[in-house]
PDB file of all heavy atoms in Angstrom:
ATOM      1  N   ILE B 160      10.721  21.270 -17.028  1.00  0.00           N
ATOM      2  CA  ILE B 160      10.816  22.707 -16.743  1.00  0.00           C
ATOM      3  C   ILE B 160      12.117  23.239 -17.352  1.00  0.00           C
ATOM      4  O   ILE B 160      13.195  22.770 -16.996  1.00  0.00           O
ATOM      5  CB  ILE B 160      10.765  22.975 -15.225  1.00  0.00           C
ATOM      6  CG1 ILE B 160       9.396  22.548 -14.669  1.00  0.00           C
ATOM      7  CG2 ILE B 160      11.031  24.458 -14.929  1.00  0.00           C
ATOM      8  CD1 ILE B 160       9.268  22.697 -13.173  1.00  0.00           C
ATOM      9  N   PRO B 161      12.013  24.196 -18.288  1.00  0.00           N
ATOM     10  CA  PRO B 161      13.207  24.627 -19.027  1.00  0.00           C
ATOM     11  C   PRO B 161      14.285  25.248 -18.130  1.00  0.00           C
ATOM     12  O   PRO B 161      13.983  25.971 -17.182  1.00  0.00           O
ATOM     13  CB  PRO B 161      12.663  25.659 -20.020  1.00  0.00           C
ATOM     14  CG  PRO B 161      11.320  26.033 -19.519  1.00  0.00           C
ATOM     15  CD  PRO B 161      10.803  24.882 -18.735  1.00  0.00           C
ATOM     16  N   LYS B 162      15.523  24.957 -18.492  1.00  0.00           N
ATOM     17  CA  LYS B 162      16.669  25.462 -17.728  1.00  0.00           C
ATOM     18  C   LYS B 162      16.811  26.979 -17.858  1.00  0.00           C
ATOM     19  O   LYS B 162      17.449  27.610 -17.023  1.00  0.00           O
ATOM     20  CB  LYS B 162      17.956  24.803 -18.241  1.00  0.00           C
ATOM     21  CG  LYS B 162      18.340  23.553 -17.472  1.00  0.00           C
ATOM     22  CD  LYS B 162      19.739  23.109 -17.893  1.00  0.00           C
ATOM     23  CE  LYS B 162      20.162  21.886 -17.119  1.00  0.00           C
ATOM     24  NZ  LYS B 162      21.498  21.422 -17.510  1.00  0.00           N
ATOM     25  N   THR B 163      16.218  27.514 -18.914  1.00  0.00           N
ATOM     26  CA  THR B 163      16.350  28.955 -19.121  1.00  0.00           C
ATOM     27  C   THR B 163      15.779  29.739 -17.940  1.00  0.00           C
ATOM     28  O   THR B 163      16.226  30.838 -17.636  1.00  0.00           O
ATOM     29  CB  THR B 163      15.616  29.396 -20.408  1.00  0.00           C
ATOM     30  OG1 THR B 163      14.357  28.727 -20.442  1.00  0.00           O
ATOM     31  CG2 THR B 163      16.409  29.058 -21.641  1.00  0.00           C
ATOM     32  N   LEU B 164      14.795  29.146 -17.279  1.00  0.00           N
ATOM     33  CA  LEU B 164      14.221  29.770 -16.090  1.00  0.00           C
ATOM     34  C   LEU B 164      15.276  29.939 -15.004  1.00  0.00           C
ATOM     35  O   LEU B 164      15.379  30.984 -14.367  1.00  0.00           O
ATOM     36  CB  LEU B 164      13.106  28.889 -15.539  1.00  0.00           C
ATOM     37  CG  LEU B 164      11.681  29.272 -15.874  1.00  0.00           C
ATOM     38  CD1 LEU B 164      10.745  28.201 -15.366  1.00  0.00           C
ATOM     39  CD2 LEU B 164      11.357  30.618 -15.253  1.00  0.00           C
ATOM     40  N   ASP B 165      16.057  28.883 -14.797  1.00  0.00           N
ATOM     41  CA  ASP B 165      17.120  28.924 -13.798  1.00  0.00           C
ATOM     42  C   ASP B 165      18.122  30.011 -14.146  1.00  0.00           C
ATOM     43  O   ASP B 165      18.594  30.757 -13.300  1.00  0.00           O
ATOM     44  CB  ASP B 165      17.878  27.594 -13.749  1.00  0.00           C
ATOM     45  CG  ASP B 165      16.980  26.426 -13.441  1.00  0.00           C
ATOM     46  OD1 ASP B 165      15.945  26.277 -14.120  1.00  0.00           O
ATOM     47  OD2 ASP B 165      17.302  25.662 -12.513  1.00  0.00           O
ATOM     48  N   GLU B 166      18.438  30.075 -15.468  1.00  0.00           N
ATOM     49  CA  GLU B 166      19.439  31.052 -15.899  1.00  0.00           C
ATOM     50  C   GLU B 166      18.943  32.477 -15.688  1.00  0.00           C
ATOM     51  O   GLU B 166      19.685  33.340 -15.242  1.00  0.00           O
ATOM     52  CB  GLU B 166      19.805  30.800 -17.364  1.00  0.00           C
ATOM     53  CG  GLU B 166      20.808  29.662 -17.499  1.00  0.00           C
ATOM     54  CD  GLU B 166      20.654  28.892 -18.806  1.00  0.00           C
ATOM     55  OE1 GLU B 166      20.135  29.447 -19.789  1.00  0.00           O
ATOM     56  OE2 GLU B 166      21.066  27.699 -18.824  1.00  0.00           O
ATOM     57  N   ALA B 167      17.662  32.673 -15.989  1.00  0.00           N
ATOM     58  CA  ALA B 167      17.079  34.004 -15.787  1.00  0.00           C
ATOM     59  C   ALA B 167      17.149  34.398 -14.313  1.00  0.00           C
ATOM     60  O   ALA B 167      17.494  35.538 -13.968  1.00  0.00           O
ATOM     61  CB  ALA B 167      15.625  34.010 -16.266  1.00  0.00           C
ATOM     62  N   ALA B 168      16.839  33.437 -13.450  1.00  0.00           N
ATOM     63  CA  ALA B 168      16.876  33.712 -12.012  1.00  0.00           C
ATOM     64  C   ALA B 168      18.305  34.053 -11.570  1.00  0.00           C
ATOM     65  O   ALA B 168      18.524  34.948 -10.756  1.00  0.00           O
ATOM     66  CB  ALA B 168      16.361  32.505 -11.237  1.00  0.00           C
ATOM     67  N   LYS B 169      19.251  33.350 -12.172  1.00  0.00           N
ATOM     68  CA  LYS B 169      20.650  33.572 -11.815  1.00  0.00           C
ATOM     69  C   LYS B 169      21.071  34.992 -12.219  1.00  0.00           C
ATOM     70  O   LYS B 169      21.746  35.687 -11.461  1.00  0.00           O
ATOM     71  CB  LYS B 169      21.520  32.536 -12.534  1.00  0.00           C
ATOM     72  CG  LYS B 169      22.911  32.417 -11.970  1.00  0.00           C
ATOM     73  CD  LYS B 169      23.699  31.361 -12.732  1.00  0.00           C
ATOM     74  CE  LYS B 169      25.161  31.411 -12.335  1.00  0.00           C
ATOM     75  NZ  LYS B 169      25.983  30.591 -13.225  1.00  0.00           N
ATOM     76  N   MET B 170      20.616  35.427 -13.394  1.00  0.00           N
ATOM     77  CA  MET B 170      20.915  36.779 -13.873  1.00  0.00           C
ATOM     78  C   MET B 170      20.377  37.821 -12.900  1.00  0.00           C
ATOM     79  O   MET B 170      20.969  38.863 -12.685  1.00  0.00           O
ATOM     80  CB  MET B 170      20.257  37.019 -15.237  1.00  0.00           C
ATOM     81  CG  MET B 170      20.696  36.064 -16.298  1.00  0.00           C
ATOM     82  SD  MET B 170      22.250  36.554 -17.029  1.00  0.00           S
ATOM     83  CE  MET B 170      21.652  37.186 -18.577  1.00  0.00           C
ATOM     84  N   ASP B 171      19.215  37.483 -12.324  1.00  0.00           N
ATOM     85  CA  ASP B 171      18.608  38.422 -11.382  1.00  0.00           C
ATOM     86  C   ASP B 171      19.246  38.355 -10.008  1.00  0.00           C
ATOM     87  O   ASP B 171      18.766  39.000  -9.063  1.00  0.00           O
ATOM     88  CB  ASP B 171      17.098  38.142 -11.259  1.00  0.00           C
ATOM     89  CG  ASP B 171      16.363  38.553 -12.521  1.00  0.00           C
ATOM     90  OD1 ASP B 171      16.943  39.343 -13.293  1.00  0.00           O
ATOM     91  OD2 ASP B 171      15.239  38.079 -12.745  1.00  0.00           O
ATOM     92  N   GLY B 172      20.274  37.532  -9.874  1.00  0.00           N
ATOM     93  CA  GLY B 172      21.022  37.506  -8.633  1.00  0.00           C
ATOM     94  C   GLY B 172      20.579  36.474  -7.623  1.00  0.00           C
ATOM     95  O   GLY B 172      20.922  36.554  -6.443  1.00  0.00           O
ATOM     96  N   CYS B 173      19.794  35.492  -8.056  1.00  0.00           N
ATOM     97  CA  CYS B 173      19.401  34.417  -7.131  1.00  0.00           C
ATOM     98  C   CYS B 173      20.530  33.400  -7.012  1.00  0.00           C
ATOM     99  O   CYS B 173      21.153  33.051  -8.016  1.00  0.00           O
ATOM    100  CB  CYS B 173      18.171  33.672  -7.656  1.00  0.00           C
ATOM    101  SG  CYS B 173      16.645  34.576  -7.473  1.00  0.00           S
ATOM    102  N   ASN B 174      20.740  32.900  -5.810  1.00  0.00           N
ATOM    103  CA  ASN B 174      21.640  31.755  -5.717  1.00  0.00           C
ATOM    104  C   ASN B 174      20.828  30.482  -5.949  1.00  0.00           C
ATOM    105  O   ASN B 174      19.628  30.536  -6.156  1.00  0.00           O
ATOM    106  CB  ASN B 174      22.389  31.736  -4.376  1.00  0.00           C
ATOM    107  CG  ASN B 174      21.462  31.564  -3.195  1.00  0.00           C
ATOM    108  OD1 ASN B 174      20.415  30.915  -3.302  1.00  0.00           O
ATOM    109  ND2 ASN B 174      21.840  32.159  -2.064  1.00  0.00           N
ATOM    110  N   LYS B 175      21.472  29.315  -5.876  1.00  0.00           N
ATOM    111  CA  LYS B 175      20.796  28.048  -6.206  1.00  0.00           C
ATOM    112  C   LYS B 175      19.582  27.791  -5.324  1.00  0.00           C
ATOM    113  O   LYS B 175      18.546  27.334  -5.787  1.00  0.00           O
ATOM    114  CB  LYS B 175      21.788  26.885  -6.073  1.00  0.00           C
ATOM    115  CG  LYS B 175      22.904  26.931  -7.089  1.00  0.00           C
ATOM    116  CD  LYS B 175      22.553  26.129  -8.326  1.00  0.00           C
ATOM    117  CE  LYS B 175      23.315  26.552  -9.558  1.00  0.00           C
ATOM    118  NZ  LYS B 175      24.780  26.554  -9.387  1.00  0.00           N
ATOM    119  N   PHE B 176      19.745  28.081  -4.034  1.00  0.00           N
ATOM    120  CA  PHE B 176      18.648  27.823  -3.109  1.00  0.00           C
ATOM    121  C   PHE B 176      17.462  28.736  -3.384  1.00  0.00           C
ATOM    122  O   PHE B 176      16.319  28.304  -3.393  1.00  0.00           O
ATOM    123  CB  PHE B 176      19.113  27.974  -1.655  1.00  0.00           C
ATOM    124  CG  PHE B 176      19.951  26.815  -1.200  1.00  0.00           C
ATOM    125  CD1 PHE B 176      21.332  26.846  -1.346  1.00  0.00           C
ATOM    126  CD2 PHE B 176      19.353  25.681  -0.647  1.00  0.00           C
ATOM    127  CE1 PHE B 176      22.095  25.767  -0.943  1.00  0.00           C
ATOM    128  CE2 PHE B 176      20.120  24.599  -0.240  1.00  0.00           C
ATOM    129  CZ  PHE B 176      21.503  24.640  -0.394  1.00  0.00           C
ATOM    130  N   GLN B 177      17.778  30.006  -3.616  1.00  0.00           N
ATOM    131  CA  GLN B 177      16.703  30.952  -3.914  1.00  0.00           C
ATOM    132  C   GLN B 177      16.010  30.580  -5.212  1.00  0.00           C
ATOM    133  O   GLN B 177      14.787  30.612  -5.297  1.00  0.00           O
ATOM    134  CB  GLN B 177      17.261  32.371  -3.997  1.00  0.00           C
ATOM    135  CG  GLN B 177      17.676  32.912  -2.631  1.00  0.00           C
ATOM    136  CD  GLN B 177      18.526  34.159  -2.740  1.00  0.00           C
ATOM    137  OE1 GLN B 177      19.279  34.332  -3.705  1.00  0.00           O
ATOM    138  NE2 GLN B 177      18.408  35.025  -1.752  1.00  0.00           N
ATOM    139  N   THR B 178      16.802  30.208  -6.228  1.00  0.00           N
ATOM    140  CA  THR B 178      16.209  29.814  -7.511  1.00  0.00           C
ATOM    141  C   THR B 178      15.237  28.673  -7.287  1.00  0.00           C
ATOM    142  O   THR B 178      14.109  28.679  -7.777  1.00  0.00           O
ATOM    143  CB  THR B 178      17.311  29.348  -8.495  1.00  0.00           C
ATOM    144  OG1 THR B 178      18.296  30.350  -8.578  1.00  0.00           O
ATOM    145  CG2 THR B 178      16.725  29.055  -9.861  1.00  0.00           C
ATOM    146  N   PHE B 179      15.687  27.699  -6.529  1.00  0.00           N
ATOM    147  CA  PHE B 179      14.832  26.546  -6.322  1.00  0.00           C
ATOM    148  C   PHE B 179      13.569  26.907  -5.549  1.00  0.00           C
ATOM    149  O   PHE B 179      12.464  26.609  -5.971  1.00  0.00           O
ATOM    150  CB  PHE B 179      15.599  25.426  -5.606  1.00  0.00           C
ATOM    151  CG  PHE B 179      14.727  24.215  -5.369  1.00  0.00           C
ATOM    152  CD1 PHE B 179      14.334  23.420  -6.432  1.00  0.00           C
ATOM    153  CD2 PHE B 179      14.285  23.895  -4.096  1.00  0.00           C
ATOM    154  CE1 PHE B 179      13.502  22.316  -6.235  1.00  0.00           C
ATOM    155  CE2 PHE B 179      13.446  22.794  -3.887  1.00  0.00           C
ATOM    156  CZ  PHE B 179      13.060  22.015  -4.966  1.00  0.00           C
ATOM    157  N   TRP B 180      13.762  27.580  -4.411  1.00  0.00           N
ATOM    158  CA  TRP B 180      12.595  27.818  -3.541  1.00  0.00           C
ATOM    159  C   TRP B 180      11.619  28.849  -4.075  1.00  0.00           C
ATOM    160  O   TRP B 180      10.420  28.687  -3.911  1.00  0.00           O
ATOM    161  CB  TRP B 180      13.043  28.208  -2.129  1.00  0.00           C
ATOM    162  CG  TRP B 180      13.488  26.986  -1.404  1.00  0.00           C
ATOM    163  CD1 TRP B 180      14.737  26.702  -0.954  1.00  0.00           C
ATOM    164  CD2 TRP B 180      12.696  25.835  -1.088  1.00  0.00           C
ATOM    165  NE1 TRP B 180      14.783  25.452  -0.384  1.00  0.00           N
ATOM    166  CE2 TRP B 180      13.538  24.905  -0.453  1.00  0.00           C
ATOM    167  CE3 TRP B 180      11.353  25.490  -1.298  1.00  0.00           C
ATOM    168  CZ2 TRP B 180      13.090  23.663  -0.017  1.00  0.00           C
ATOM    169  CZ3 TRP B 180      10.907  24.266  -0.860  1.00  0.00           C
ATOM    170  CH2 TRP B 180      11.769  23.365  -0.225  1.00  0.00           C
ATOM    171  N   TYR B 181      12.133  29.901  -4.722  1.00  0.00           N
ATOM    172  CA  TYR B 181      11.224  30.961  -5.165  1.00  0.00           C
ATOM    173  C   TYR B 181      10.702  30.744  -6.581  1.00  0.00           C
ATOM    174  O   TYR B 181       9.612  31.182  -6.921  1.00  0.00           O
ATOM    175  CB  TYR B 181      11.898  32.325  -5.046  1.00  0.00           C
ATOM    176  CG  TYR B 181      12.259  32.658  -3.608  1.00  0.00           C
ATOM    177  CD1 TYR B 181      13.544  33.070  -3.255  1.00  0.00           C
ATOM    178  CD2 TYR B 181      11.305  32.516  -2.592  1.00  0.00           C
ATOM    179  CE1 TYR B 181      13.867  33.352  -1.931  1.00  0.00           C
ATOM    180  CE2 TYR B 181      11.621  32.773  -1.278  1.00  0.00           C
ATOM    181  CZ  TYR B 181      12.901  33.192  -0.945  1.00  0.00           C
ATOM    182  OH  TYR B 181      13.217  33.449   0.357  1.00  0.00           O
TER     183      TYR B 181
END
Side-chain angles (χ1 to χ4, degrees):
Chain B
I160 296 177
K162 267 189 179 179
T163 43
L164 260 174
D165 302 51
E166 280 149 24
K169 196 179 170 191
M170 301 278 255
D171 289 342
C173 285
N174 64 31
K175 294 268 157 54
F176 285 91
Q177 289 166 329
T178 307
F179 180 71
W180 283 115
Y181 298 129

